[in-house]
Amino acid sequence: MSEELVGRICAELTKIVLVDPHTHINPHAPASTTLADIMGYHYYTELAHSSGMPKALIEEPGLDPKTKVGRLVESLHHLDNTVQVSWLVELCRKFFGFQDNRITPANWESLYDKAATVMAQPDWEDQCLKQSGIERVFLTNEFDDPLTGFDTARYIPCLRTDDLVFHFTNPAVRERLTKATGIETTNPERIRQAIGKLFEHFVRHGAKACAISLPPSFAPRQPSRGDLSETNFLTSFLDPDSTTKDVGQNFVFWTIAEFCAEYRLPFDLMIGVNRRVYPSGVYQGQDLFDQRVSLIQYRELFNAFPQVTFPVSVLAQASNQELVSYSWIFPNVVTNAHWWYSNIPAYIELDTRARLQAVPRNKQVGYYSDMYKLEFAWPKFSMYRQCLSRVLAQDFVIARKWSENEAILLGKQLLRGNVESIFNV
Amino acid sequence: MSEELVGRICAELTKIVLVDPHTHINPHAPASTTLADIMGYHYYTELAHSSGMPKALIEEPGLDPKTKVGRLVESLHHLDNTVQVSWLVELCRKFFGFQDNRITPANWESLYDKAATVMAQPDWEDQCLKQSGIERVFLTNEFDDPLTGFDTARYIPCLRTDDLVFHFTNPAVRERLTKATGIETTNPERIRQAIGKLFEHFVRHGAKACAISLPPSFAPRQPSRGDLSETNFLTSFLDPDSTTKDVGQNFVFWTIAEFCAEYRLPFDLMIGVNRRVYPSGVYQGQDLFDQRVSLIQYRELFNAFPQVTFPVSVLAQASNQELVSYSWIFPNVVTNAHWWYSNIPAYIELDTRARLQAVPRNKQVGYYSDMYKLEFAWPKFSMYRQCLSRVLAQDFVIARKWSENEAILLGKQLLRGNVESIFNV
Amino acid sequence: MSEELVGRICAELTKIVLVDPHTHINPHAPASTTLADIMGYHYYTELAHSSGMPKALIEEPGLDPKTKVGRLVESLHHLDNTVQVSWLVELCRKFFGFQDNRITPANWESLYDKAATVMAQPDWEDQCLKQSGIERVFLTNEFDDPLTGFDTARYIPCLRTDDLVFHFTNPAVRERLTKATGIETTNPERIRQAIGKLFEHFVRHGAKACAISLPPSFAPRQPSRGDLSETNFLTSFLDPDSTTKDVGQNFVFWTIAEFCAEYRLPFDLMIGVNRRVYPSGVYQGQDLFDQRVSLIQYRELFNAFPQVTFPVSVLAQASNQELVSYSWIFPNVVTNAHWWYSNIPAYIELDTRARLQAVPRNKQVGYYSDMYKLEFAWPKFSMYRQCLSRVLAQDFVIARKWSENEAILLGKQLLRGNVESIFNV
């Protein structure tokens, strides 16, 4: 395949300005201030740890940012093959004038200082977004986030509901809910009212999606009236060791889906993560997955809520064919980007090929960055654009004789058009 | 890889005349009469529905063919990326003189009229087969099909057994069986006799295979004598809500396998479909799958019937490696084409590569069209020939330095030679 | 992608001398003496059988080597597409001056005779290793192997523990253990002592790894004190039909892991094989797998033994993404080559791509030959080098603009450097 063709398509796709439909940006501190913010991203700490660096060195309390970066740099020669480190090098070259291809013990300090200077500019946030071709960014907000003090036109709220569904038995979660809504959650109906208040609050502040990450074992179903009887409430909703706590989880989950219907919010399902599989791992570097999961587990949900759009992300690459097929059949199921352990070119290319060959083009969200700091949008979207361009070149321009322009329009729809139409932004 | 090389191999593979070893052709109306027959294929109705068109618009009772096509065309701009729509455009270009690359609200009417004229020719069926390079076509016949009134040399009967195995508890199915065989199925032995009569009838009319589609949960085993006792018969064979109805299913399935042995018929296993996952979907657009299935579930069967050839199709792409490996080890397991949700180039190429690298070349059925109307053989086999040619070029001519002719001979064996030897046609 | 670039990288990777970290070589007869030793490899007998040759012909008692080869050659025209037969042809061309591209009934006899002459040279073993670029070879030793009578510097012992874990209820296994250690295994503590003696013996003779192959259902856990009570011992350790025999298996397995920690031996886990799925198959051609397996089953083990390195091989290609992800997170999990049904270029390339993009480069063992006779190292490593070179060229030199030399160094680390560092050779 002609690398020139891929390059031309990619250049055109790089021209469009993006809305990033899923990130973990803190809108009160969206950009980094030092390289430690950037290299503190779990990808670098967990890979450094995996390659041999003790957790204690990485997470030593009181460690100053520069020392931390210096330590992490010691691991990079074990990691330079990874695409995650290529993101790091690319963003340093893009934003900080870095000229080398590798960050080493010999060159990191000047990079650190240069980066600090660049990021100290008062308009760094704006500059970074502009250089990255990003104009709006979805957030991941805790359910009790007041959603004030930032520009919700740029940073679009998104109601994250993991705690409500999976940690409702934790008294601290219930207290947060009561504090946020003024409602004591002493029975299912009151829980429903409290959740309704959250939706009202989020939508009033411009929220465009509700989201949740789900373990491979989860199979949502609507609880019966009997399940929700008064006698069951204690065990199903309040007891973390109960064998029927799935009733409470299902009730909260189902109620959230009902409010998504009422408020016309897409419900992002991020399917397949097992939390704390490696509890001695570094912060955010402890979760893994079990590939034995199926979208058939969501059959009842997809049928019950035809009016709710479900942008689905899957963690296991083995799930992609199911995602393709369920999106091809269910009008309300939409493919949503390339998540976490599937977010490497080897899998993005395979998954993109299959999606483009079999899912309606108006039902595919190409990519989100999942970033914690703005600087990562550029290299992550660049990686995706490369993969997408390769598929467009091979499968459409070469194999199916599409014009380059037709292929580019398809790419733009995945990158921008569908984000607008699916999330109503 | 040289596109010219791929093209040369593909051109040679296009010259051979094919036997299509699995279709849903109605031998009494094998070809289409209007574009509505063609666009009524579930791929177009389900994708149109998935992309946003209400089912009611697509399946409105009494809808005339031309209006139906006009409505479906409204969805095509959402679907032109799909390989299924590329089949549609290719067949219109091949058969109906269509010159454009897309079917649109602006050009569909003249295409509709032109197609109707072409298909109104009295010898359209013959023309279509000839232009498509197809000379014989396997059918999928209900077990009570009289198999009369058509040319069984061209349209080869195949005994489809889903109803017998999975709907035996349905009185209507048992009545059909009694009507077809004259045998009241009041105990296992009589059921066996009735099934034997079906085989006798089918083989007398030239049947060359028995076939069944199977849910991911199915794991056939031979029922014990105790399972089949008189007291169990009622619940195991007649009660659709019984918890032991798997006994009846296994008995019928196992009996069919025994008759496959007796009559030397290959038994096509199409493994992995869940029916009616989306019951509000359009006709034939409701089924999906669960990738959590394994060929280990068929271990007892494969061992019990060494004399029966099992051409196996898998729905989940994740099952392809098992299919490769089981075909590599079991003499009676054969790879059978690329089925339904795995029938897109992204998966065909991966699966073909693995099969060609590890399964004996005499044990691979390259492709079947699975078509409902003859016009689809051309674009579907074309897609497969493209994928196959690409793999032959890359993995054999380039990587292993085979001559082009050796690669072409391998391709021809998959496309034609093995269909003859495996199905004894 | 430029085939020249791939060729240049591959040529450089071919220059390094290798340590093969997993084989089944018999150090008392490491090389072949006739082509029957080579074509008796289960890949050829099982594929010949699968393609239609009766087992009785292949395994006829008293069959002389030349007749056996002659028979197997009759099947090769069904198998010449397989990568396994390409190994055979390549080694015959490399070592025996074979000039053709296919072994046929017309040319095999002269090849047989020529091969016998070559292999009759007294220094054939040395020659073969030298020509293959191999200097040291890991063995797979039964736990009661005396480890004497061969050069343990060249042939590195490795303690294989399948029998201990999965066949401890077999009295013959316990007798072998007692004979090897002098310890009667009448309770868990004595079993522990006996296993400790084995480790002491193996390490004293230069063992560099412990290894085991595991069925898909295995999920190791540390047995509780109650599990190991005297009353349970009989059923858990001695009764092959016991429902609690997993307690015994877990105890032995866990004890082995503890000694790996004590003796600082890596513990090779080869995950996913079902034994004797096709019991009528040829010798060593009876095992298959179930893709429904997850590394989450090893969560407790990986957490319990942070000081033990686990080089993990997976049989199902579907498991590769989990392997990539677990190696990316757990410091003690390492990717180990491409095993058995995953050891074909279609899967090696996919798996290598993902590993190189996401696993620290110091945590990847590129390849082992798994060979039974020395002649196979050359073609198997050649196949891997081709695949690896292709990935290095596409993903690193072309896509990420690495220099060829940087890519070659990465390849060398996978092929040799990591074998040294991970297995401490």
Side-chain angles (χ1 to χ4, degrees):
Chain A
M1 166 177 25
S2 157
E3 292 299 318
E4 289 74 32
L5 171 61
V6 176
R8 284 197 303 273
I9 293 172
C10 197
E12 288 302 313
L13 296 182
T14 306
K15 288 179 183 167
I16 43 172
V17 177
L18 303 171
V19 177
D20 187 340
H22 175 66
T23 79
H24 295 269
I25 290 294
N26 172 359
H28 308 289
S32 301
T33 57
T34 73
L35 215 50
D37 291 337
I38 288 169
M39 290 190 66
Y41 197 10
H42 67 83
Y43 287 105
Y44 307 111
T45 54
E46 74 201 13
L47 282 167
H49 178 50
S50 173
S51 76
M53 183 166 286
K55 178 181 170 179
L57 270 182
I58 300 167
E59 299 190 342
E60 186 182 323
L63 197 61
D64 75 286
K66 195 159 182 177
T67 308
K68 180 172 186 170
V69 169
R71 288 183 184 175
L72 289 168
V73 166
E74 298 286 335
S75 289
L76 289 181
H77 68 291
H78 293 317
L79 308 177
D80 59 8
N81 58 299
T82 64
V83 71
Q84 295 85 3
V85 167
S86 81
W87 303 337
L88 174 66
V89 173
E90 272 192 53
L91 76 85
C92 289
R93 292 173 61 98
K94 171 85 175 175
F95 298 127
F96 310 137
F98 188 61
Q99 303 282 334
D100 295 332
N101 292 313
R102 282 176 168 72
I103 301 169
T104 69
N107 67 18
W108 75 271
E109 280 208 67
S110 60
L111 170 63
Y112 186 94
D113 296 339
K114 181 68 190 304
T117 309
V118 169
M119 294 188 285
Q121 298 169 89
D123 65 342
W124 171 240
E125 174 189 342
D126 292 344
Q127 275 191 52
C128 181
L129 283 168
K130 182 135 208 274
Q131 288 183 52
S132 305
I134 305 283
E135 62 179 7
R136 306 180 74 185
V137 165
F138 279 55
L139 305 177
T140 293
N141 303 91
E142 294 297 335
F143 66 82
D144 53 347
D145 190 319
L147 305 177
T148 52
F150 62 90
D151 175 3
T152 57
R154 175 178 280 184
Y155 296 111
I156 300 171
C158 168
L159 172 57
R160 183 71 173 234
T161 58
D162 299 46
D163 280 352
L164 289 171
V165 173
F166 294 108
H167 301 291
F168 197 87
T169 57
N170 181 342
V173 170
R174 295 198 303 276
E175 279 163 32
R176 286 168 53 204
L177 181 57
T178 297
K179 198 169 162 199
T181 62
I183 297 174
E184 295 282 344
T185 56
T186 50
N187 63 42
E189 182 47 34
R190 290 203 179 176
I191 295 171
R192 182 190 305 277
Q193 289 166 11
I195 293 172
K197 275 221 160 183
L198 298 180
F199 271 80
E200 192 275 330
H201 168 71
F202 268 76
V203 168
R204 187 156 30 87
H205 286 83
K208 293 294 181 189
C210 179
I212 189 166
S213 74
L214 301 148
S217 59
F218 194 63
R221 60 178 183 80
Q222 180 170 28
S224 69
R225 203 172 281 264
D227 284 340
L228 300 174
S229 70
E230 216 171 308
T231 49
N232 287 341
F233 186 73
L234 184 72
T235 50
S236 298
F237 287 83
L238 307 185
D239 177 4
D241 301 319
S242 162
T243 56
T244 62
K245 118 184 122 155
D246 65 301
V247 169
Q249 292 176 354
N250 275 301
F251 174 78
V252 175
F253 182 87
W254 210 263
T255 301
I256 289 168
E258 288 168 347
F259 282 111
C260 284
E262 184 174 331
Y263 284 94
R264 299 173 184 278
L265 281 193
F267 193 0
D268 293 345
L269 306 180
M270 312 183 77
I271 295 174
V273 62
N274 288 108
R275 301 289 179 186
R276 290 181 59 72
V277 172
Y278 175 44
S280 306
V282 299
Y283 175 65
Q284 294 184 329
Q286 305 175 3
D287 305 335
L288 279 156
F289 64 98
D290 181 338
Q291 58 134 344
R292 296 168 303 177
V293 58
S294 174
L295 293 186
I296 200 91
Q297 299 166 217
Y298 293 84
R299 160 191 203 152
E300 185 178 334
L301 180 76
F302 295 154
N303 279 294
F305 295 96
Q307 72 279 52
V308 175
T309 299
F310 295 98
V312 174
S313 300
V314 290
L315 197 47
Q317 202 260 333
S319 299
N320 185 64
Q321 192 203 9
E322 286 192 351
L323 179 53
V324 166
S325 305
Y326 281 69
S327 301
W328 149 359
I329 293 297
F330 277 101
N332 54 337
V333 177
V334 163
T335 64
N336 195 12
H338 303 274
W339 188 35
W340 205 342
Y341 294 111
S342 284
N343 183 30
I344 65 174
Y347 298 135
I348 294 171
E349 279 183 36
L350 290 176
D351 295 352
T352 298
R353 288 196 74 188
R355 294 179 192 180
L356 284 179
Q357 289 173 2
V359 178
R361 60 189 287 170
N362 63 333
K363 296 184 66 195
Q364 306 187 39
V365 175
Y367 199 68
Y368 51 67
S369 73
D370 215 359
M371 64 185 167
Y372 285 75
K373 288 292 177 186
L374 291 183
E375 290 80 6
F376 282 97
W378 169 257
K380 287 182 145 189
F381 272 99
S382 287
M383 172 186 70
Y384 174 68
R385 280 184 292 246
Q386 278 287 339
C387 296
L388 175 60
S389 301
R390 202 167 289 280
V391 175
L392 291 171
Q394 180 60 51
D395 287 6
F396 291 85
V397 179
I398 294 174
R400 284 170 57 184
K401 320 251 181 268
W402 282 30
S403 72
E404 279 185 46
N405 193 48
E406 289 171 324
I408 289 161
L409 287 174
L410 177 54
K412 288 184 173 179
Q413 182 172 2
L414 264 66
L415 274 161
R416 167 97 202 204
N418 290 339
V419 176
E420 292 181 17
S421 57
I422 290 168
F423 292 104
N424 192 28
V425 294
Chain B
M1 162 177 27
S2 157
E3 292 298 318
E4 289 75 33
L5 171 61
V6 176
R8 284 195 304 272
I9 293 173
C10 197
E12 289 302 314
L13 296 183
T14 306
K15 289 179 185 167
I16 43 172
V17 177
L18 302 171
V19 176
D20 187 339
H22 176 67
T23 79
H24 295 269
I25 289 294
N26 172 1
H28 308 289
S32 302
T33 57
T34 73
L35 216 49
D37 291 337
I38 288 169
M39 290 190 67
Y41 197 9
H42 69 82
Y43 286 105
Y44 306 112
T45 54
E46 73 201 14
L47 282 166
H49 178 50
S50 173
S51 75
M53 182 166 287
K55 178 181 169 178
L57 270 182
I58 300 168
E59 300 190 341
E60 185 182 323
L63 198 59
D64 75 287
K66 194 159 182 177
T67 307
K68 181 171 186 171
V69 169
R71 288 184 184 174
L72 289 168
V73 166
E74 299 286 335
S75 288
L76 289 181
H77 68 291
H78 292 318
L79 309 177
D80 60 8
N81 58 300
T82 64
V83 72
Q84 295 85 3
V85 168
S86 81
W87 303 337
L88 175 65
V89 173
E90 272 193 52
L91 76 86
C92 289
R93 293 173 61 98
K94 172 84 175 176
F95 298 127
F96 309 137
F98 188 60
Q99 303 282 335
D100 295 332
N101 292 312
R102 282 175 168 71
I103 301 169
T104 69
N107 67 17
W108 76 270
E109 280 208 67
S110 59
L111 170 63
Y112 185 94
D113 297 338
K114 181 68 189 301
T117 308
V118 169
M119 294 188 285
Q121 298 170 89
D123 66 341
W124 171 240
E125 174 189 343
D126 291 344
Q127 274 191 53
C128 181
L129 282 168
K130 183 136 206 275
Q131 288 183 52
S132 305
I134 305 283
E135 62 180 7
R136 304 180 74 183
V137 165
F138 279 54
L139 306 177
T140 293
N141 303 90
E142 293 297 335
F143 67 83
D144 53 348
D145 190 318
L147 304 177
T148 53
F150 62 89
D151 175 5
T152 57
R154 175 178 280 184
Y155 296 110
I156 300 171
C158 169
L159 172 57
R160 183 71 173 234
T161 58
D162 299 46
D163 280 352
L164 289 172
V165 173
F166 295 109
H167 300 291
F168 197 87
T169 56
N170 181 342
V173 171
R174 295 198 302 278
E175 280 162 33
R176 285 167 52 204
L177 181 56
T178 297
K179 197 170 164 199
T181 63
I183 296 173
E184 296 282 343
T185 56
T186 50
N187 63 42
E189 183 46 34
R190 292 205 179 173
I191 296 171
R192 182 189 305 276
Q193 288 166 12
I195 293 172
K197 274 220 162 182
L198 299 180
F199 271 79
E200 193 275 330
H201 168 71
F202 267 76
V203 169
R204 187 156 29 89
H205 286 82
K208 293 295 182 188
C210 180
I212 190 167
S213 75
L214 301 148
S217 58
F218 194 64
R221 59 179 182 78
Q222 180 170 29
S224 69
R225 202 173 282 264
D227 285 340
L228 301 175
S229 70
E230 215 171 310
T231 48
N232 288 340
F233 185 74
L234 184 72
T235 49
S236 298
F237 286 82
L238 307 185
D239 177 4
D241 301 318
S242 161
T243 55
T244 62
K245 112 185 127 156
D246 65 301
V247 170
Q249 292 175 354
N250 275 301
F251 174 77
V252 175
F253 182 87
W254 210 262
T255 301
I256 289 168
E258 286 168 348
F259 281 112
C260 284
E262 185 175 327
Y263 283 93
R264 299 173 184 278
L265 281 193
F267 194 178
D268 293 346
L269 306 180
M270 311 183 77
I271 296 174
V273 60
N274 288 108
R275 301 290 178 185
R276 290 181 59 74
V277 172
Y278 174 44
S280 306
V282 297
Y283 176 64
Q284 294 184 329
Q286 306 176 3
D287 305 334
L288 279 156
F289 64 98
D290 180 339
Q291 57 134 342
R292 296 168 302 178
V293 57
S294 174
L295 293 186
I296 200 90
Q297 299 166 216
Y298 293 84
R299 162 191 201 152
E300 186 178 333
L301 179 76
F302 296 154
N303 279 294
F305 295 97
Q307 72 279 51
V308 175
T309 299
F310 295 98
V312 174
S313 300
V314 289
L315 196 48
Q317 202 260 332
S319 299
N320 185 64
Q321 191 203 11
E322 286 191 353
L323 178 53
V324 166
S325 306
Y326 281 68
S327 300
W328 150 0
I329 293 298
F330 278 101
N332 54 338
V333 177
V334 163
T335 64
N336 195 13
H338 302 274
W339 188 34
W340 203 342
Y341 294 111
S342 285
N343 183 31
I344 64 174
Y347 298 135
I348 294 170
E349 279 184 36
L350 289 175
D351 295 351
T352 298
R353 289 196 74 189
R355 294 179 192 181
L356 284 178
Q357 289 172 2
V359 178
R361 59 189 288 170
N362 62 335
K363 296 184 66 196
Q364 305 187 39
V365 174
Y367 199 68
Y368 51 66
S369 73
D370 216 358
M371 64 185 167
Y372 285 75
K373 288 291 177 186
L374 291 183
E375 291 79 6
F376 282 97
W378 169 257
K380 288 181 145 191
F381 272 99
S382 287
M383 172 186 70
Y384 175 68
R385 281 185 291 247
Q386 278 286 340
C387 296
L388 175 60
S389 301
R390 202 168 290 280
V391 175
L392 291 171
Q394 179 60 50
D395 287 6
F396 290 86
V397 179
I398 294 174
R400 285 170 57 183
K401 320 247 181 274
W402 282 30
S403 71
E404 279 184 45
N405 193 49
E406 289 170 325
I408 290 161
L409 287 175
L410 176 54
K412 288 184 173 177
Q413 183 171 2
L414 264 65
L415 273 163
R416 167 96 202 205
N418 289 339
V419 176
E420 292 181 18
S421 56
I422 290 168
F423 292 102
N424 193 28
V425 294
Chain C
M1 165 175 28
S2 158
E3 292 298 318
E4 290 75 32
L5 171 60
V6 176
R8 285 196 303 273
I9 293 172
C10 197
E12 288 302 313
L13 296 182
T14 306
K15 289 180 183 167
I16 44 172
V17 177
L18 302 170
V19 177
D20 187 339
H22 175 68
T23 79
H24 295 269
I25 290 293
N26 171 1
H28 308 289
S32 302
T33 57
T34 74
L35 215 49
D37 292 337
I38 288 169
M39 289 191 66
Y41 197 10
H42 67 83
Y43 287 105
Y44 307 111
T45 55
E46 73 202 16
L47 282 167
H49 178 50
S50 173
S51 75
M53 182 167 285
K55 178 182 170 180
L57 270 182
I58 300 167
E59 299 189 342
E60 185 181 321
L63 197 60
D64 74 287
K66 195 159 182 177
T67 307
K68 181 171 186 171
V69 169
R71 288 184 183 173
L72 289 169
V73 166
E74 299 286 335
S75 289
L76 289 181
H77 67 291
H78 293 317
L79 310 177
D80 60 8
N81 59 299
T82 64
V83 71
Q84 294 86 1
V85 167
S86 81
W87 303 338
L88 175 66
V89 173
E90 272 191 54
L91 76 86
C92 288
R93 293 173 61 98
K94 171 85 174 176
F95 298 128
F96 309 137
F98 187 60
Q99 303 282 335
D100 296 331
N101 291 314
R102 282 175 168 73
I103 300 170
T104 69
N107 67 17
W108 76 271
E109 280 208 68
S110 60
L111 170 62
Y112 186 93
D113 296 339
K114 181 68 190 303
T117 308
V118 169
M119 294 187 284
Q121 297 170 90
D123 66 341
W124 171 239
E125 174 188 343
D126 291 345
Q127 276 191 53
C128 180
L129 283 168
K130 183 136 205 277
Q131 288 182 54
S132 305
I134 306 284
E135 62 179 7
R136 305 181 75 184
V137 165
F138 278 54
L139 306 176
T140 293
N141 304 91
E142 293 296 335
F143 67 83
D144 53 347
D145 190 318
L147 304 176
T148 53
F150 62 89
D151 175 5
T152 56
R154 174 178 279 184
Y155 297 109
I156 301 171
C158 169
L159 172 58
R160 183 71 173 234
T161 57
D162 299 45
D163 280 353
L164 289 172
V165 173
F166 294 109
H167 301 291
F168 198 87
T169 57
N170 181 343
V173 170
R174 295 199 301 277
E175 279 163 31
R176 286 167 52 205
L177 181 56
T178 297
K179 197 168 163 200
T181 62
I183 295 173
E184 296 282 343
T185 55
T186 49
N187 63 41
E189 183 47 33
R190 292 205 178 173
I191 295 171
R192 183 189 306 277
Q193 288 166 13
I195 293 171
K197 275 221 160 183
L198 299 179
F199 270 80
E200 193 275 330
H201 168 71
F202 267 76
V203 168
R204 187 156 31 86
H205 286 83
K208 293 296 181 188
C210 180
I212 190 167
S213 74
L214 302 149
S217 58
F218 194 63
R221 62 178 181 79
Q222 181 170 30
S224 69
R225 201 174 283 264
D227 285 340
L228 301 175
S229 70
E230 215 171 307
T231 49
N232 288 340
F233 185 75
L234 184 71
T235 50
S236 298
F237 286 81
L238 307 185
D239 177 5
D241 301 319
S242 162
T243 55
T244 62
K245 119 186 122 153
D246 65 301
V247 169
Q249 292 176 354
N250 275 300
F251 175 77
V252 175
F253 182 86
W254 210 264
T255 302
I256 289 167
E258 287 167 347
F259 281 112
C260 283
E262 184 174 330
Y263 283 94
R264 298 173 185 277
L265 280 193
F267 193 178
D268 293 345
L269 306 181
M270 312 183 77
I271 295 174
V273 61
N274 288 108
R275 300 289 178 185
R276 290 181 59 73
V277 171
Y278 174 44
S280 305
V282 298
Y283 176 64
Q284 293 185 330
Q286 305 175 3
D287 305 336
L288 279 156
F289 64 97
D290 180 339
Q291 57 132 346
R292 295 168 303 178
V293 57
S294 174
L295 293 186
I296 200 91
Q297 299 167 215
Y298 293 83
R299 160 191 203 153
E300 185 178 335
L301 179 76
F302 296 154
N303 278 293
F305 294 97
Q307 72 280 51
V308 175
T309 299
F310 295 99
V312 174
S313 299
V314 289
L315 197 47
Q317 202 260 333
S319 299
N320 186 64
Q321 191 202 11
E322 286 191 354
L323 178 54
V324 165
S325 306
Y326 282 68
S327 300
W328 150 359
I329 293 296
F330 277 101
N332 54 339
V333 178
V334 162
T335 64
N336 196 12
H338 303 273
W339 187 34
W340 203 343
Y341 295 110
S342 285
N343 184 31
I344 64 174
Y347 298 135
I348 295 171
E349 279 184 36
L350 290 175
D351 295 352
T352 298
R353 288 196 75 189
R355 294 179 192 181
L356 284 178
Q357 288 173 2
V359 178
R361 60 189 287 170
N362 62 335
K363 297 185 66 196
Q364 306 187 39
V365 174
Y367 199 68
Y368 52 67
S369 74
D370 216 358
M371 64 186 168
Y372 285 76
K373 287 293 177 186
L374 291 183
E375 291 79 6
F376 281 97
W378 168 257
K380 287 182 145 190
F381 272 99
S382 287
M383 172 186 68
Y384 175 67
R385 280 185 293 247
Q386 278 286 339
C387 296
L388 175 60
S389 301
R390 202 167 289 280
V391 175
L392 291 171
Q394 179 59 51
D395 287 5
F396 291 86
V397 179
I398 294 174
R400 285 171 56 186
K401 320 253 182 266
W402 281 31
S403 71
E404 279 183 45
N405 192 49
E406 289 171 325
I408 290 160
L409 287 175
L410 176 55
K412 288 184 173 179
Q413 183 172 2
L414 264 66
L415 273 162
R416 167 95 203 205
N418 289 339
V419 176
E420 293 182 16
S421 56
I422 290 168
F423 292 102
N424 192 28
V425 294

